[in-house]
Amino acid sequence: QVQLVESGGGSVQAGGSLRLSCAAFGYIYNIYSNNYRAWFRQAPGKEREGVAAIYTGGGTTYYADSVKGRFTISQDNAKNTVYLQMNSLKPEDTAMYYCAAGRGPLGTDVRRYNYWGQGTQVTVSS
């Protein structure tokens, strides 16, 4: 089992920034074998949307078009933690943000992810 714990959500005005963190806990083999991480978000009444993904074994990244140039996903393997730096936030970025871990391939297909965090709320006001 891998437990994912998100933090860093909150309320911010449009144009502001937030940094989300996702720490992994559990049997180290399971953490290393589920070395694709992603951030998803879900707004009320909408489907879960993939935002960004990273292959922690090499650092390759993927971004949804809606966040390219504004969001950056990064990793700290020593801490088994993945981050999502969110800049130039817009009201439409308001959602619950979830971290996920899986065995790949790189991307935001929810079927590829085996473990999910509980989520952290991001609210952007205009």
Side-chain angles (χ1 to χ4, degrees):
Q1 291 289 334
V2 176
Q3 289 184 309
L4 301 174
V5 179
E6 302 103 331
S7 61
S11 297
V12 65
Q13 289 191 327
S17 298
L18 285 172
R19 188 177 82 152
L20 306 183
S21 298
C22 172
F25 300 93
Y27 185 35
I28 200 67
Y29 172 79
N30 288 341
I31 293 175
Y32 287 168
S33 62
N34 286 273
N35 53 4
Y36 288 81
R37 303 278 196 88
W39 287 96
F40 293 79
R41 65 187 181 187
Q42 189 166 19
K46 294 189 177 180
E47 290 187 356
R48 190 164 294 192
E49 172 192 18
V51 173
I54 188 167
Y55 169 52
T56 62
T60 309
T61 58
Y62 165 87
Y63 295 95
D65 288 342
S66 58
V67 304
K68 278 181 182 177
R70 300 189 299 122
F71 290 11
T72 302
I73 189 169
S74 62
Q75 63 191 72
D76 183 340
N77 286 346
K79 297 181 179 180
N80 291 325
T81 298
V82 169
Y83 304 96
L84 185 68
Q85 178 66 44
M86 305 185 295
N87 298 328
S88 302
L89 282 162
K90 304 175 182 180
E92 51 263 44
D93 294 318
T94 295
M96 184 71 79
Y97 282 70
Y98 298 91
C99 176
R103 296 174 182 261
L106 185 68
T108 53
D109 184 343
V110 295
R111 296 169 297 179
R112 301 294 186 181
Y113 292 90
N114 305 311
Y115 300 100
W116 294 82
Q118 293 299 305
T120 185
Q121 178 68 36
V122 172
T123 302
V124 184
S125 58
S126 57

